[in-house]
Amino acid sequence: MGFSLISIHCLVLALFLQLTVGYGSNVSYDSRSFIIDGQRKLLISTAIHYPRSVPAMWPGLIQLAKEGGANVIESYVFWNGHELSPDNYYFEGRYDLVKFVKTVQQAGMYMMLRIGPFVAAEWNFGGVPVWLHYVPGTVFRTDNEQWKYYMKKFTTYIVDLMKKEKLFASQGGPIIMAQVENEYGYYEQSYGDGGKKYALWAANMALSQNIGVPWIMCQQWDTPDPVINTCNGFYCDDFTPSSSKSPKIWTENWPGWFKTFGDVDPHRPVEDVAYAVARFFQKGGSVHNYYMYHGGTNFGRTAGGPFITTSYDYDAPIDEYGLPRLPKWGHLKELHGALKLCENALITGERTNVSLGPQQEANVFTDSSGVCAAFLANMDNKTDTVVKFRNKTYHLPAWSVSILPDCKNVVYNTAKVGSQASVVDMVPENLRPSVVPPSKDLKSLQWKVFVEKPGIWATPEFNMTGFVDHINTTKDSTDYLWITTSLYVDSDEKFLKDRSSPVLSVKSKGHALHVFVNQKLQGSGFGNGSVFSFESEIPISLKAGKNEIALLSMTVGLQTAGPQYEWIGAGLTSVEIKGLNKGAVNLTKFNWTYKIGLLGEQLNLYKGDDLKSTNWVSTTEPPKTKPLTWYKALVDPPSGNEPVGLDMIHMGKGLAWLNGEEIGRYWPRKSPKHHDCVDHCDYRGKFLPNKCSTGCGEPTQRWYHVPRSWFKPSGNVLVIFEEIGGDPTQIRFSKRKATGVCSSVSEDHPSVSVESWTTAVKDTNDKKATAQLSCPSNTRISAIKFSSFGNPSGACGSYIQGDCHDPNSASVLEKVCLNRRDCSIELSKDNFDIGHCPGTIRRLAVEAVCS
C-alpha cells in the first residue's frame, strides 16, 4: 500500500498533535498495581509541596526527584492558601498550582494530587481557612451541612481547574490519582454517627466529580469501592487494603520528622527508611510515596502545630534548600534502581514465601517466562545472620533486606550504604549594603529603625472584664494581641523598701506571652510543641502609684489536626500579682483593654517599599536588645549562586521579610540539654521520632531559607521585626554548600551495582566493592582529608583510624582522585594491602575536600 504526500503530511501532523497535545491515558488498577494504558506500573512517588518552595525551584526539585528514581510527584492542595476569603481565590506565586502540575508534566512524571481539602501537614489550621470556623453553624469534618457545602465547593473548584487545564491523565495530563479527606480514620469514631456518614459522603462526593482516574483515602478503613484506602506510617509492609480489588498503596512513608521550636532535631537513618521500603514491596506493595521527599519551608505564618518551625526540612532526601541529602538521597536512588530491575516480577509474577530462619524470610517472584526476583529479609533487630537460599549462602545484616533481581546475585542491601555522604556547611557572608561603591564594613550599613510602644497603639477593639480567647479575637489575622490594664501601688508596699520584686503569675492556653510593665519588658512565657499551655512566674518592677501593665499574647501557628481541632483556643486564662502587702492580687477580673496586632503591621512596614516613610529613623548604629523594634536595611544579594539562609542566632524572636516576601517566623530557641541526643544512631529496630535526635542544648533553627529568586541584583529590602531584643548587626546571610564528600564501603558491599546490572557478569566472585566520590559541579577534589583501609570507625566528617590500617591508603586515593570532580576505586589487592586484619571484613573510609 502506498502513501500520498498529503497523507504523509497528515500522518506527521497527527503524530505532532499526539506529542504536543496528548491523548488521554486510561488509568485503572487491580489488586497488584496501577495499570496505565494497559501497562502495569511500579510507582515510586515523592512529596514536594508547591507552596513550601518557590516556582524557580520547582523544575530543579522535580528533576532531582526523577534522577533519584521516582516517577511520581505528590502534593497536597492548600485550601487556606487559595481561598483567602469566601470566593476570593489566589493561584499566583508559590500557590500557582497549575504551573506546578504542568512542571511535573514537562518533566515526564506522573502526579498524585491530594486535594483533601483538609490536609493536616503541620500546616496552619490543617489547611482549612480560618474564616470558615466563623461561618455560623459550621463544624469541621463531620456530617455538618455548612462544612460539606464549603468542602465540596472548594474540591469542585480544584477539580474543575484541573479539568480546564486538561491535567488529569484521562485528558492527557499527569494526574493519575487524587485524594479526598486525609487520615480521617484516626478520628472518625470521635464524631459518632456523623463521622461515618461524613466519610461515606466524602467518598461519594469525590466519585461524583468524574475525573477519570482513581480516588484514594489514606488511613480510612471503611472506604467504599472503588475508592482505595491507603496506609501512612513509618512501616506499611503489614498493611492490607480493605478491598481485595485494590492495590497496596503507601501514601506517606516518613523518612524523617518535623521540628518544633525549642525541641531537638529528629533524624531517621537511611538504612531504616530503605528497609521499610524494601519490606513494603517485598510484601506486595506497588505504589509508594515519601512524605516528605523535599520538605521545604513554612514561609510566613503558614507553619502550624503549634510551634512548628519555619523549616520543614523533615530530614528528607532533598534538604530544605534543594540540595540532595547524602547519603540518604543516593542510597534510596540505588534502592529505586534495584526495585525497577524487579518491576516485572513484582507486579506480574507469582509471589511465594520461603522461611529462612526464625526471623528471616524470602519472598520470591516468578512468572512463566522464567523471570525471577527475590527479597531476603532479616527482621532480627540485633543480630546479623547467614542464610541459605537456593543452595547459596547470603550474609544478612540485622534489620535488612537484600534484593536479588535474578534470584542469585545481590544488587542491593538496605543496611549497606555505599553511596557517598557529603559535608554541608552554612558559609557566612556579611550583609552587603546596596551603596556605591560597595562596602565590606558592616557598620556602614544604613539601618532604618521603628520602635513600637508597648500596649494600645490606636483605638482599642474593646474593653471588658476578664479574658477572651486569643484566636477568636484575632481570627488569625496576626500572631499578636495586646491586652492591657493598670494597677495602683501604695507607697508603703514592703517590696518598695526592701527592693524585692513582686511576681506576675500567668496561666495561658498558649502559645507565648511577653510582659511589659511601665513600657519595659519584664519577661516572657511560652509553651512548647508537646504542651501548648503554660504557667509562668515572672518577677516584675512596680513603682508607687499607677503602673501600666501590657501583655503581648502570641500564637505560634494554629492547631493542625485532631478531633474537633478547630475549637482548640489560645490566650490568657489567669493573671495575678504575688508579693504585695495584702498578698496576691488577682487581676483576672480587672477591666482589660484589647488591641489586635502591631502598629507596624497596620503601617505595612514589612512590605519594604517605602524607605522614605517618616515612620523610620535612620542610623548606622541600630539599637541592640531593644524589644518591639522593626529594622530595615538595603542589602545586595550574597555572592555566588548557592542557596541562602538568614543567620538569626543573635536575635530573639520575631518575623522577617525580604522585598516584601515572607521569610517567616524566626526563634533561635534552644532545646533542653538533658534530652536524649545521640552521636551515632543505631538504625536497627522500629523507628520513632525521638530515637535518633541531635542538637541538644542548641537552637532548634538558626538559619532561615531565603530563596535566591527573591533577590534583586541590588537594593533588596530586608525587614526584621524583633519582639524581645537582639543584635541586628550580627545578622548574616549564609550560603549552603557541600564543602566535602565521603565514602565508606566494606568488602561485603554488593559488588554488582544497579547501574551495571544489565552488563554485569553473573558470576561475581572476582568482582570487588567500589568506593565512589563526586564533588558538586564547578568544584574539584582538592585534598584527601581522611583515608583508611582497615577498620576505621565514625561517620562522614568524624572518621577515626582503627588499629588496622593500610598506611598507603591516602596516597592511593590522592593518585586516583586529586584534581578530579569524581573518581572511583575498587577495594582490591591491586589498590590496598588486603593482608591487614585477617579474618575480618575490611572497610575503606575516605573524606575529600571539594573546592
Side-chain angles (χ1 to χ4, degrees):
M1 180 182 291
F3 289 92
S4 69
L5 185 61
I6 293 176
S7 64
I8 291 174
H9 285 165
C10 290
L11 178 62
V12 171
L13 179 61
L15 289 172
F16 174 78
L17 290 173
Q18 181 175 355
L19 290 172
T20 56
V21 178
Y23 293 120
S25 295
N26 180 274
V27 181
S28 60
Y29 62 85
D30 61 16
S31 62
R32 295 300 297 273
S33 70
F34 264 55
I35 303 168
I36 303 176
D37 289 335
Q39 292 187 333
R40 293 189 177 277
K41 296 287 184 179
L42 193 74
L43 298 176
I44 298 172
S45 176
T46 54
I48 299 174
H49 292 165
Y50 55 98
R52 281 176 160 148
S53 57
V54 293
M57 295 175 64
W58 293 344
L61 294 173
I62 292 166
Q63 185 60 35
L64 199 52
K66 186 174 183 179
E67 291 174 7
N71 52 6
V72 183
I73 300 295
E74 175 268 310
S75 181
Y76 283 125
V77 176
F78 295 84
W79 187 1
N80 57 14
H82 291 300
E83 193 172 6
L84 308 183
S85 58
D87 298 316
N88 175 25
Y89 294 103
Y90 180 80
F91 287 89
E92 298 176 18
R94 292 184 292 113
Y95 292 95
D96 193 339
L97 174 60
V98 169
K99 182 175 182 178
F100 180 77
V101 178
K102 287 184 175 181
T103 305
V104 172
Q105 184 176 28
Q106 289 161 7
M109 300 184 74
Y110 299 121
M111 180 85 198
M112 180 194 303
L113 190 66
R114 302 174 72 188
I115 298 174
F118 168 82
V119 298
E122 291 73 58
W123 188 267
N124 196 53
F125 221 44
V128 179
V130 174
W131 57 258
L132 183 54
H133 179 52
Y134 298 100
V135 173
T138 303
V139 180
F140 290 5
R141 306 182 76 200
T142 188
D143 188 31
N144 172 270
E145 293 305 316
Q146 288 286 78
W147 165 258
K148 291 191 297 182
Y149 168 79
Y150 284 101
M151 178 197 165
K152 180 180 180 180
K153 179 168 165 286
F154 180 75
T155 301
T156 303
Y157 190 95
I158 296 298
V159 167
D160 288 348
L161 180 62
M162 298 299 102
K163 285 181 178 180
K164 177 184 175 183
E165 299 292 336
K166 300 187 184 305
L167 293 175
F168 288 108
S170 54
Q171 303 172 290
I175 302 171
I176 58 171
M177 69 184 87
Q179 178 179 300
V180 66
E181 253 296 336
N182 188 59
E183 298 182 327
Y184 190 65
Y186 290 138
Y187 313 114
E188 181 178 309
Q189 287 188 343
S190 68
Y191 291 94
D193 291 340
K196 191 167 187 65
K197 290 179 181 178
Y198 166 65
L200 181 62
W201 172 88
N204 289 326
M205 181 273 292
L207 292 172
S208 71
Q209 301 287 335
N210 297 316
I211 62 176
V213 300
W215 283 93
I216 62 174
M217 297 179 79
C218 65
Q219 297 298 93
Q220 188 66 45
W221 301 282
D222 54 2
T223 55
D225 277 336
V227 178
I228 307 169
N229 74 306
T230 69
C231 181
N232 291 358
F234 290 114
Y235 308 92
C236 280
D237 47 297
D238 291 334
F239 169 73
T240 301
S242 56
S243 171
S244 60
K245 301 175 185 178
S246 298
K248 186 171 177 173
I249 300 177
W250 191 355
T251 35
E252 291 191 16
N253 175 6
W254 306 317
W257 203 242
F258 55 84
K259 299 192 293 185
T260 58
F261 285 117
D263 206 350
V264 291
D265 201 354
H267 300 278
R268 187 180 181 190
V270 67
E271 296 95 330
D272 181 63
V273 180
Y275 172 80
V277 177
R279 288 287 291 164
F280 175 72
F281 285 101
Q282 178 180 358
K283 291 299 181 181
S286 62
V287 182
H288 167 274
N289 178 59
Y290 293 100
Y291 183 101
M292 300 294 296
Y293 195 76
H294 165 72
T297 307
N298 293 314
F299 295 111
R301 298 171 54 248
T302 60
F307 293 98
I308 299 295
T309 55
T310 302
S311 169
Y312 198 63
D313 181 84
Y314 219 88
D315 198 32
I318 303 176
D319 73 16
E320 176 182 6
Y321 294 81
L323 301 181
R325 172 170 277 110
L326 304 175
K328 184 170 279 188
W329 181 87
H331 192 49
L332 295 176
K333 175 184 178 179
E334 292 177 1
L335 169 60
H336 304 153
L339 292 170
K340 294 297 284 184
L341 291 175
C342 305
E343 180 172 15
N344 288 337
L346 284 171
I347 55 183
T348 64
E350 180 181 347
R351 178 164 60 99
T352 57
N353 182 270
V354 179
S355 175
L356 302 177
Q359 296 188 76
Q360 296 78 33
E361 66 178 2
N363 283 97
V364 184
F365 299 82
T366 57
D367 67 17
S368 57
S369 69
V371 170
C372 183
F375 289 65
L376 313 184
N378 181 10
M379 292 88 77
D380 191 314
N381 63 12
K382 293 183 173 61
T383 308
D384 296 3
T385 190
V386 175
V387 298
K388 192 169 185 179
F389 173 71
R390 294 197 170 190
N391 299 317
K392 288 185 67 175
T393 57
Y394 297 88
H395 173 255
L396 290 178
W399 202 252
S400 78
V401 178
S402 285
I403 299 176
L404 292 63
D406 60 356
C407 288
K408 295 178 183 178
N409 294 291
V410 176
V411 73
Y412 183 88
N413 179 272
T414 59
K416 298 177 181 179
V417 182
S419 59
Q420 75 172 23
S422 59
V423 178
V424 179
D425 293 320
M426 297 297 289
V427 180
E429 185 172 299
N430 285 346
L431 299 184
R432 297 188 300 153
S434 283
V435 295
V436 180
S439 172
K440 296 291 184 181
D441 182 4
L442 189 65
K443 291 183 179 179
S444 69
L445 194 66
Q446 288 292 319
W447 290 93
K448 304 281 187 175
V449 176
F450 176 82
V451 180
E452 297 257 353
K453 176 184 175 183
I456 308 303
W457 46 268
T459 303
E461 317 300 336
F462 53 85
N463 296 276
M464 66 171 290
T465 300
F467 300 120
V468 296
D469 182 81
H470 179 121
I471 299 170
N472 286 341
T473 305
T474 65
K475 296 181 172 57
D476 200 41
S477 60
T478 172
D479 282 354
Y480 304 104
L481 176 64
W482 281 110
I483 312 169
T484 67
T485 192
S486 61
L487 175 71
Y488 187 86
V489 172
D490 291 334
S491 58
D492 61 351
E493 286 286 347
K494 181 181 178 182
F495 74 84
L496 293 173
K497 300 174 182 177
D498 61 16
R499 297 184 179 180
S500 59
S501 295
V503 171
L504 187 77
S505 177
V506 298
K507 295 180 181 179
S508 173
K509 294 180 290 185
H511 306 146
L513 180 77
H514 299 318
V515 175
F516 294 84
V517 176
N518 299 323
Q519 304 292 303
K520 293 184 178 180
L521 178 64
Q522 307 293 304
S524 304
F526 31 76
N528 57 54
S530 300
V531 182
F532 313 145
S533 62
F534 63 91
E535 299 182 11
S536 294
E537 303 274 312
I538 300 170
I540 59 174
S541 296
L542 295 175
K543 63 182 182 181
K546 186 178 181 181
N547 292 266
E548 299 292 342
I549 299 173
L551 307 179
L552 183 58
S553 177
M554 292 162 288
T555 49
V556 191
L558 302 191
Q559 187 81 16
T560 60
Q564 295 86 31
Y565 78 95
E566 73 270 28
W567 303 99
I568 296 175
L572 289 165
T573 58
S574 171
V575 175
E576 65 177 10
I577 295 179
K578 301 175 181 177
L580 302 182
N581 290 350
K582 55 185 176 182
V585 176
N586 189 346
L587 305 184
T588 305
K589 296 301 182 181
F590 273 39
N591 186 267
W592 292 88
T593 302
Y594 289 80
K595 184 63 183 176
I596 296 171
L598 306 169
L599 176 57
E601 291 178 307
Q602 177 72 22
L603 297 172
N604 294 323
L605 298 184
Y606 54 87
K607 289 187 175 180
D609 55 3
D610 186 15
L611 280 173
K612 296 180 181 180
S613 169
T614 55
N615 296 309
W616 296 95
V617 175
S618 298
T619 178
T620 56
E621 293 289 339
K624 302 173 184 178
T625 65
K626 181 78 173 176
L628 303 179
T629 301
W630 295 78
Y631 300 96
K632 181 187 289 189
L634 285 177
V635 296
D636 278 346
S639 60
N641 58 6
E642 299 91 349
V644 178
L646 190 67
D647 186 352
M648 303 297 279
I649 189 66
H650 295 286
M651 299 299 286
K653 179 180 179 295
L655 299 163
W657 297 261
L658 183 78
N659 295 326
E661 299 282 0
E662 303 171 302
I663 297 171
R665 299 184 182 99
Y666 69 85
W667 192 5
R669 181 181 179 184
K670 292 183 179 181
S671 64
K673 290 184 178 180
H674 62 269
H675 197 283
D676 293 329
C677 285
V678 297
D679 294 324
H680 170 73
C681 179
D682 186 350
Y683 73 88
R684 300 173 300 177
K686 293 281 188 179
F687 177 80
L688 291 172
N690 61 355
K691 180 179 180 181
C692 298
S693 301
T694 62
C696 287
E698 299 176 4
T700 307
Q701 185 175 355
R702 173 175 177 173
W703 291 278
Y704 298 80
H705 182 208
V706 187
R708 276 280 181 182
S709 61
W710 287 1
F711 286 95
K712 301 181 294 186
S714 64
N716 297 280
V717 183
L718 178 66
V719 176
I720 308 292
F721 172 65
E722 171 58 48
E723 297 170 10
I724 56 179
D727 185 356
T729 67
Q730 296 299 315
I731 295 173
R732 299 287 186 271
F733 286 129
S734 294
K735 297 181 292 185
R736 188 167 180 84
K737 58 195 304 184
T739 57
V741 291
C742 301
S743 183
S744 177
V745 179
S746 299
E747 291 175 307
D748 64 346
H749 272 71
S751 54
V752 180
S753 67
V754 171
E755 291 80 5
S756 65
W757 177 261
T758 55
T759 58
V761 178
K762 298 306 181 185
D763 182 2
T764 62
N765 290 332
D766 61 342
K767 288 185 171 291
K768 306 298 180 185
T770 301
Q772 296 180 323
L773 296 172
S774 180
C775 283
S777 59
N778 301 319
T779 64
R780 295 289 184 269
I781 296 173
S782 57
I784 300 297
K785 190 173 182 179
F786 180 93
S787 179
S788 178
F789 179 72
N791 62 349
S793 59
C796 183
S798 59
Y799 289 130
I800 300 173
Q801 184 176 303
D803 56 12
C804 171
H805 166 70
D806 181 352
N808 295 318
S809 301
S811 60
V812 170
L813 267 296
E814 288 171 352
K815 181 179 179 181
V816 174
C817 297
L818 280 184
N819 300 315
R820 299 181 61 181
R821 183 188 171 193
D822 45 46
C823 64
S824 61
I825 188 165
E826 196 175 73
L827 275 61
S828 68
K829 63 182 179 181
D830 294 332
N831 295 318
F832 300 101
D833 181 358
I834 63 174
H836 283 68
C837 314
T840 64
I841 297 174
R842 287 153 295 218
R843 174 187 180 207
L844 172 65
V846 56
E847 178 180 348
V849 177
C850 297
S851 61

